[in-house]
Each structure stands twice: as C-alpha cells, then as structure tokens.
Amino acid sequence: MSEENPNFSRRSRRAESKKNPKITEEKNEELVQAGQFAQIMHPIKRFWKKYNLTKILIIVLLLFVVSVGSYLFFLAKTANVKVLQSSIETQTEILDKNDKEAGTLYGQKGTPVTFNQISDNIKDAVIATEDRTFYKNHGVNIKRFTLALVTLGHFGGGSTITQQLAKNAYLTQKQTIDRKAREFFLALEINKHYSKNEILTMYLNNSYFGNGVWGIQDASEKYFGVPATQVTTDEAATLAGMLKGPEIYNPLYDKGKYATPRRDTVLQNMVNAGYLKQSDADNFMKVDLQSELKDNYSSQMAAYKYPSYYNAVISEAESKYGLTLQEIMNNGYKIYTGMDQNMQSGMQQTYDNTSLFPTAADGTSVQSASVAVNPKNGEVEALVGNVNVDNYNSFTNFNYATMAKRSPGSAIKPLIVYSPAIEAGWSIDKLVDDSPADYNGWKPTDADGLWRGEVPMYQAVANSYNIPAINTYQTIGPKVGNALGRDFGIDLTSKNNVLTTALGAGVETNPWQIAQAYSAFANNGTMDEAHLITKIENANGQVIKRAKVSKKRVISKDTADKMTEMMMGTFSNGSAYNAAPASYTFAGKTGTNEDVDQWVVGYTPDLVTALWVGFPDPKDYKLAGTSEGQTSVIFRQEASYLYPYTSGTEFKVKNPYVTAGVAPLTSAYTYQRQLQDDIVSQEQAEAHTTGNTPAVPSSTSSSSSKESKSNKLGGLWKSAQDTAKSAQKAAKSAWNKVTDLFRR
C-alpha cells in the first residue's frame, strides 16, 4: 500500500491547522471571499447564458472586422488606382477660357522618367534597402503588416515599395493603424493593375529627396549633376539612402555628416542582397561623398507664368471642391478656368512695372491687387495678387486679391447708400446737400475741404462727396443699406449699423468681392458668383468637378441702369476722370480710406475691374493723395491692356453730365498717358477691336483748335450752369411747398 500524500491528507491538514491557527483563519477568509464573489457572479452567469452573449459578442466582433475590412476595401477601390500612373507622369495643367494651356503646376513631382531611363544601380540599391521581396510579394508583406496591427501601427519593420507608393500617392505620413490598413488594401489594388517595373518607376518618380526636389531624375541632377541613367553605384546608394529620411540623409545637410554612413549602410545591404561584392562595396565606402556633389538642377516652380492666378485657383479647388493640396499638385488634373491670357498677361505687365507703384521714403513698395471679372458669367478673366517686388513669391505668398481685408472707402457708397436710395424711388438728379455737418461730434469733410451746397445726386456720386452720402445713408437707414450690401456679397454685421459705414469705416473686403459686387451694375442687376474654375478633369480625361455658379438678382434692372448713369460721371467729370483708357467709356467708383487704402473700380458692359493699392502695414507707411492720383494712373495702365480684348459693348444709358450739356474733364498731357494710348492702339490692332465710346457725328464734332483748347473752360462754365439750374430747381421746390400750405 502506497504511502499517503501529506498534501492531500485531511489528518495532516488538521494537524497543520493545530500547529498554525493563523493559516486556518486565512483559509476561512479566502473561502468567504470566494463565496461572496460566486454569489455576485451567479446572476451574471445566468444572464450571460440565458441570452447567449458569448455568441453575440463573437458576431459583433466579426461584423466589426468585416465592416472595417469592407470600408477599407471600398476606399481602395474608390481611390481609382487605374489613373495612378498617368497621374504621376502628368503634371496638373491650368487651361484658359479657350481651353488652351495657361501653365502647369509642378508641386510634389519632378521630371518623370521611364524604367529604362533609371540606372540599374539605383534599382538594385532601392530594392536591397527598401524591399528585397519586391519582385516576389503581392504588394504587401504579411509579417510586417501583422506586426503593424499588433503594435497599432507604430512598428512594422517597414513597408513594401508598393505600400510606400500607396502612402506617397494617397495617404499621410502619419503612422497610425488606420493609415497602415488603408495602405495595405491600396497596395493590393496597385499590385493588381501594374507590373513590378511600372510600380518601381512610379515609386521613384514620386519620391521626395530633400531640398524641395521630387523624383529620381531631378534628384540625380540636384546632387550629382547627371541624369538618372548615369548614376554610379555609390551615388545610387546615396540616393536610395535618402528615401528613409530625405531632409537628414541628403548629402547637403550638415556636409553629409549623416548621408555618408547611410550610404555605407545601403552599400552593405546591396552586398547582403547579392547585388554587389564586398570588395567593391568597401572601395565605394572610401569615396569622399562631398567631392562627388554637383548641382545641375533648376526648379521649374520659379518659371510659373501666372503665379497669382494659380494661387487663387488652388485655393478655390480646396475650399469649393474639397480637393487637397496634394491632390491638386500631384494628380495630373486638367483645371479649366475663365482666364483670358491676353488680359492676364497685360495685367501682369502692369504689376511688373514697379515704377508705377508708390514707395515709402525707405524704398518700401506699396502692395496692390486687381481682379477683372466677366459680369455676364462671373468668370475671373485676370487676377494679380501683389506687386512684383524682390523676395516676394506670388505663388506661395499672401494673395491680396482674394485674401486681403481692407477698407473699401467710398467704393462702398454705391452698394449700401445709393443703390438702396434708387430702389426706394430717389431720382438721380435729386438735390442732396453738401454742407458742414456734425454727427454727435463727428464732423467729416472731403479731401479738398470745400463745400458745394445743394447738388444733384449724380454729381455727389461722381465726385464722391461725403456729406451727401452720409445723409442719404441716414435717411434710408443703415440696416436697409447694409442688408443690400450683404446681397452684394460684402461682409456686414449689426456692428456696421452706424453712420461711419457709409464711408467704408469698419468694413473689410478685397478686390475679388468688390469686382463681384460691381458686376451686378454691369449685368442689369444680376450678380453671378465670381469664380475661376469651370471644370476639373482627372489624368484620364474624366470630369470630376464642374462649376455650379450661383446667380441672384441683387437690384432691379432700372436701379442698375440709374446707378450706371451716375457712375459714368465718375470717369467723365468726377474722381476717376484720369483713369479711363483711350476710346473707352467707363462707369464706376473710386475709394480712399484716409492715407491707408485707395481704390478704383471701373466697368463696361463686358468687364469689371477692381484695383486696390495700399501698404501691407499701414501703421508704418502712409499713402499720399487720393485715388484720383497715381492709383488712377495704374488703373488706366492695366485697363489699356485689358479692354481691347473685350467686345467693346456700348452702354445703353446716358451720362447725366452729357444730358445736362456738361463737357467731360480733359486730362493734361503726360508721357505716361501717351504710352497708355499707344498700348490701347497696339492691343486693339492685335485683337481686331475698337473701343466702346460711340462715334461723335461730324455735324456736332469740334472743328477748330480754338474750341479744343477752350474745352475744359467750357466744361467748367457748363458745370456752373448746371449748378445754377439745380439751385433754380431747389428754389422752385421750396416755393411750391409754401404755396401748398396756403392751398390747405
């Protein structure tokens, strides 16, 4: 009979308990706790078994896995990898309104090359270092992917070349499980549609190599001064080594401190992968990397033809069509726009002539921006966002045409003062008072400090008199005026329901918004949403986005006509009489915000142009004069380039100054004006157009030089007559009111 095991003997346990009563107490306490836990768990177990929660949990987990997998599979499918190759090889192209190329965006891609244009040294170095199973795997490495899942995307031993291509082309660089999973499915799709040689070529054409250089061809030129076909083994090892960290491992960083050991690591990888003998690798490791460097690369971005316009196109594609900057720059889109290249080129010639723009005492130039929009469809035909001064990149820097927040000054008057007045039934020759006024301590004046008494409203508009505008705004009500201003697209809130808003104080806008607003006057009261893009095609020619332009009636046609009548006087007898180009009749408005902002806005039935001038930091620099001065000269210069490429449509309404028999003001001769007249003649000959000013019948035209010389004097005399007539009307109106009292 075998000996009893003391560990299972009740007698032994009792004996042990007598020797050590403390053990007994501990055991009892454990039993009590176990019993309590069992009592708690018992109803839970019953509930769990009753409703088969184990099966439900398994089903939920399976559904979750299937759902996530299906979602990621859907993302991979909808990524449309079929156009990946053409997207990488094709640069995004900007086209004008005639579907002609207006430029390309280079972005995150360099000069594309084919598989045969890449040295075998580069291919071997990249495969040995990045993915030795490249030609065997199906686009993914299961072991690495599993490790990435287990570590929630923080580790994975590196991705395959196909996965890296998917990441570079479609995803962010952030290491997350979501990104890693999407990368997995995209890699499978890419591997399904392309050969290994095509994938390797796309990868090298779409990789970043530091210092703003993308693609193996440009990298070879940047660092070694040769095309990708001529790269040596040690140079190839350097380029392949940069893929892990291009900003650190490029040979220009810290004199190659990190690039040299990284090159040596790649060379050893090539040995381990069987691409290179150890003796050859040892010899290459002895080569001084810095002695091999030679830079033959020139950035294509510096040659952008219309940088401000491209900048605005990208912003619109992002904000309006939901495209990312990476997609816009890299996916080989064709972006169709409303650009007129003749106009755009002429506007840029104006801005390239920096002598036209005022400068501060220390030489600091003003900034300026201009937008020209077709009022019939809202297409922006020309846009420049800044003056072409040194160290200012028009493509990447602040675009004043679309981003600025500047006061419109008196350019706001037609929008919130006079349009609502006309809508309320006021006539354009209604007498308004230009006399000193005190608005609770605010005593505004005009730039010349003069007072005119009662004048017809069209004269107040043309000469931008402040007191009549404030009084009119006060009469119609700031809330009413601002409500119409919002319909014009100006950002106005309840804070702007104050009298100073009539002069533009407290209002922030830019040339884009002003040009869009004034297009309603040129288009019979209807305002089309200003836009640059008409449609976007992918690299395979499929339309993926098409413009949906909003259109709304802001004012009646009658109001638009009357506003145009009054604003024609601005260019013939008012504050912009220096601004209209030869042979063109304009309507519009000027605006001066003290010594900070100056505006000229002009239009014909064919084109609306808004021009702003001001220093970037008005606290440090101040403008001299008003918009009647140099800003009008700048406007006339660019208008001389732009308007010959319009149809030359005449206004159907009459200038009230002409109706009243007042001759237009005549600008003094200057060499600059003669140059501008020559520009008009040259551009009209090129475009085969004429101006929109009606021909004067020979019977009424001037026939003597004496009459021509006295033209301005006659104009002043007629202006005085006009003022006298206005005074007579006022006296008659007052007499009628008195007689009405007696009739009652």
Side-chain angles (χ1 to χ4, degrees):
M1 187 173 180
S2 62
E3 185 177 351
E4 185 179 25
N5 189 339
N7 292 327
F8 295 96
S9 171
R10 295 192 186 101
R11 185 170 48 202
S12 297
R13 285 200 295 267
R14 285 197 297 269
E16 185 67 26
S17 299
K18 290 179 180 179
K19 292 179 182 179
N20 193 349
K22 194 172 184 180
I23 293 177
T24 303
E25 292 177 5
E26 290 177 355
K27 292 291 182 180
N28 290 335
E29 187 176 345
E30 289 177 4
L31 290 172
V32 170
Q33 291 178 351
Q36 291 175 343
F37 180 74
Q39 288 178 349
I40 294 173
M41 291 301 297
H42 183 68
I44 296 176
K45 288 180 179 179
R46 288 180 61 190
F47 180 81
W48 190 275
K49 290 180 179 180
K50 181 179 180 180
Y51 293 100
N52 295 315
L53 293 185
T54 301
K55 293 180 180 179
I56 293 174
L57 181 60
I58 293 172
I59 293 171
V60 169
L61 289 174
L62 288 174
L63 286 174
F64 175 77
V65 171
V66 171
S67 298
V68 171
S70 300
Y71 170 68
L72 294 173
F73 181 75
F74 169 76
L75 290 178
K77 285 293 185 181
T78 55
N80 196 8
V81 298
K82 293 180 181 179
V83 302
L84 177 60
Q85 186 174 37
S86 55
S87 297
I88 290 174
E89 294 177 354
T90 306
Q91 292 171 323
T92 293
E93 186 178 354
I94 308 293
L95 296 98
D96 67 11
K97 68 178 184 180
N98 298 315
D99 297 344
K100 293 182 179 179
E101 182 185 322
T104 53
L105 303 178
Y106 302 109
Q108 297 176 351
K109 62 175 65 181
T111 306
V113 289
T114 64
F115 183 79
N116 293 330
Q117 292 174 314
I118 302 172
S119 166
D120 287 341
N121 295 324
I122 295 174
K123 301 168 190 173
D124 294 344
V126 170
I127 291 172
T129 304
E130 297 297 320
D131 185 7
R132 293 184 194 176
T133 65
F134 174 66
Y135 281 103
K136 298 177 182 178
N137 64 49
H138 297 286
V140 296
N141 187 307
I142 300 298
K143 292 181 180 179
R144 293 175 179 177
F145 178 70
T146 303
L147 181 58
L149 287 178
V150 172
T151 60
L152 300 181
H154 293 288
F155 300 98
S159 301
T160 65
I161 286 175
T162 312
Q163 285 177 273
Q164 292 183 57
L165 173 61
K167 176 179 65 178
N168 292 343
Y170 296 106
L171 308 173
T172 68
Q173 302 300 312
K174 189 176 180 181
Q175 286 283 91
T176 64
I177 188 170
D178 171 69
R179 200 274 291 159
K180 205 72 179 174
R182 293 178 64 191
E183 179 185 293
F184 178 90
F185 282 92
L186 283 167
L188 292 176
E189 280 295 304
I190 291 170
N191 196 75
K192 186 190 303 181
H193 288 90
Y194 298 100
S195 70
K196 289 294 185 179
N197 289 350
E198 289 174 331
I199 291 171
L200 182 59
T201 303
M202 287 189 286
Y203 171 66
L204 290 172
N205 278 333
N206 198 47
S207 292
Y208 184 55
F209 290 89
N211 296 297
V213 178
W214 292 81
I216 192 64
Q217 176 74 0
D218 288 350
S220 301
E221 294 283 1
K222 174 67 178 179
Y223 298 111
F224 301 110
V226 296
T229 53
Q230 299 177 19
V231 172
T232 63
T233 301
D234 57 311
E235 293 170 347
T238 301
L239 293 169
M242 292 165 58
L243 294 170
K244 182 179 180 180
E247 295 298 357
I248 297 176
Y249 293 125
N250 79 77
L252 300 182
Y253 180 76
D254 203 3
K255 298 182 180 180
K257 178 180 178 181
Y258 303 100
T260 300
R262 178 62 182 164
R263 175 201 65 181
D264 296 346
T265 298
V266 175
L267 287 168
Q268 191 59 52
N269 288 339
M270 295 176 72
V271 173
N272 298 338
Y275 292 116
L276 191 64
K277 293 180 180 179
Q278 186 65 58
S279 58
D280 292 335
D282 293 340
N283 289 332
F284 286 129
M285 291 179 189
K286 296 175 184 178
V287 176
D288 178 17
L289 178 57
Q290 294 299 300
S291 67
E292 294 186 309
L293 300 182
K294 184 180 180 181
D295 187 355
N296 283 340
Y297 170 72
S298 59
S299 174
Q300 296 170 303
M301 193 177 295
Y304 275 163
K305 200 173 180 181
Y306 308 123
S308 289
Y309 199 99
Y310 300 163
N311 173 288
V313 165
I314 291 171
S315 295
E316 184 169 290
E318 287 180 301
S319 62
K320 195 171 182 180
Y321 298 105
L323 299 177
T324 66
L325 180 61
Q326 181 181 3
E327 290 172 329
I328 297 164
M329 300 297 286
N330 298 324
N331 284 11
Y333 293 139
K334 282 190 174 183
I335 304 178
Y336 293 79
T337 71
M339 179 197 295
D340 183 305
Q341 289 199 65
N342 292 307
M343 293 185 188
Q344 182 66 31
S345 177
M347 186 179 283
Q348 289 197 185
Q349 285 186 60
T350 301
Y351 276 79
D352 289 343
N353 184 1
T354 55
S355 64
L356 284 171
F357 296 85
T359 56
D362 65 356
T364 300
S365 173
V366 298
Q367 271 303 335
S368 178
S370 190
V371 174
V373 61
N374 184 335
K376 296 180 178 65
N377 56 24
E379 293 180 2
V380 175
E381 300 197 332
L383 178 151
V384 172
N386 41 65
V387 181
N388 188 15
V389 294
D390 293 338
N391 301 320
Y392 201 96
N393 188 320
S394 298
F395 178 68
T396 59
N397 283 33
F398 191 81
N399 192 323
Y400 288 93
T402 59
M403 302 176 183
K405 294 182 178 180
R406 309 293 294 225
S407 169
S410 293
I412 202 172
K413 291 175 182 176
L415 309 178
I416 68 170
V417 176
Y418 293 111
S419 285
I422 295 296
E423 291 270 86
W426 293 30
S427 64
I428 66 171
D429 57 358
K430 176 180 173 63
L431 293 179
V432 291
D433 188 28
D434 181 35
S435 301
D438 186 337
Y439 305 96
N440 295 324
W442 178 43
K443 301 177 181 179
T445 61
D446 291 323
D448 58 11
L450 301 177
W451 306 102
R452 288 90 184 166
E454 287 192 327
V455 295
M457 188 164 67
Y458 70 79
Q459 186 176 333
V461 172
N463 291 279
S464 199
Y465 298 149
N466 286 333
I467 298 301
I470 298 168
N471 289 340
T472 301
Y473 185 63
Q474 186 177 45
T475 301
I476 63 171
K479 290 183 179 180
V480 174
N482 291 351
L484 188 56
R486 285 190 289 273
D487 288 341
F488 275 112
I490 305 301
D491 185 16
L492 297 165
T493 68
S494 58
K495 294 180 180 179
N496 299 114
N497 294 336
V498 291
L499 293 184
T500 54
T501 305
L503 307 186
V507 182
E508 294 179 333
T509 188
N510 52 54
W512 178 284
Q513 291 180 348
I514 292 296
Q516 176 182 263
Y518 274 71
S519 69
F521 299 126
N523 194 34
N524 301 318
T526 299
M527 185 179 76
D528 286 51
E529 180 185 8
H531 61 285
L532 303 121
I533 299 171
T534 56
K535 67 177 179 179
I536 301 175
E537 294 178 354
N538 66 17
N540 276 9
Q542 300 165 320
V543 177
I544 61 170
K545 305 288 181 181
R546 194 180 296 275
K548 294 181 179 179
V549 182
S550 65
K551 179 193 293 283
K552 67 176 179 179
R553 176 160 295 283
V554 182
I555 51 178
S556 67
K557 181 182 183 302
D558 181 65
T559 297
D561 287 343
K562 289 178 179 177
M563 288 300 302
T564 294
E565 287 181 54
M566 292 196 291
M567 288 191 284
M568 288 172 75
T570 303
F571 280 82
S572 65
N573 298 76
S575 55
Y577 79 97
N578 275 321
S583 77
Y584 288 91
T585 298
F586 268 67
K589 189 73 184 65
T590 60
T592 301
N593 172 33
E594 297 180 340
D595 51 11
V596 175
D597 302 288
Q598 293 181 5
W599 297 77
V600 176
V601 188
Y603 65 90
T604 69
D606 301 313
L607 191 70
V608 180
T609 304
L611 167 72
W612 163 84
V613 173
F615 283 103
D617 190 349
K619 295 179 182 178
D620 297 333
Y621 305 100
K622 303 298 180 184
L623 290 171
T626 67
S627 299
E628 294 183 32
Q630 190 61 24
T631 301
S632 286
V633 175
I634 298 169
F635 183 91
R636 192 175 195 265
Q637 180 92 356
E638 71 171 3
S640 297
Y641 282 114
L642 301 181
Y643 284 81
Y645 294 96
T646 65
S647 300
T649 306
E650 297 179 11
F651 284 112
K652 295 180 180 180
V653 296
K654 296 289 186 181
N655 186 331
Y657 280 93
V658 174
T659 303
V662 180
L665 299 178
T666 303
S667 300
Y669 172 86
T670 65
Y671 180 65
Q672 184 66 45
R673 288 185 68 83
Q674 184 58 56
L675 287 177
Q676 292 169 350
D677 292 347
D678 292 342
I679 290 171
V680 172
S681 298
Q682 293 167 8
E683 301 298 329
Q684 285 179 339
E686 179 72 22
H688 306 291
T689 60
T690 58
N692 74 331
T693 301
V696 179
S698 58
S699 60
T700 60
S701 62
S702 174
S703 59
S704 68
S705 60
K706 181 177 180 181
E707 182 179 349
S708 177
K709 291 179 182 179
S710 62
N711 185 43
K712 188 171 182 178
L713 182 61
L716 293 173
W717 168 248
K718 289 178 180 178
S719 181
Q721 287 181 318
D722 185 61
T723 302
K725 289 179 181 178
S726 298
Q728 289 177 344
K729 288 182 180 180
K732 184 177 181 180
S733 176
W735 174 253
N736 288 336
K737 289 180 180 179
V738 172
T739 55
D740 284 343
L741 290 174
F742 283 101
R743 289 193 186 101
R744 292 176 186 174

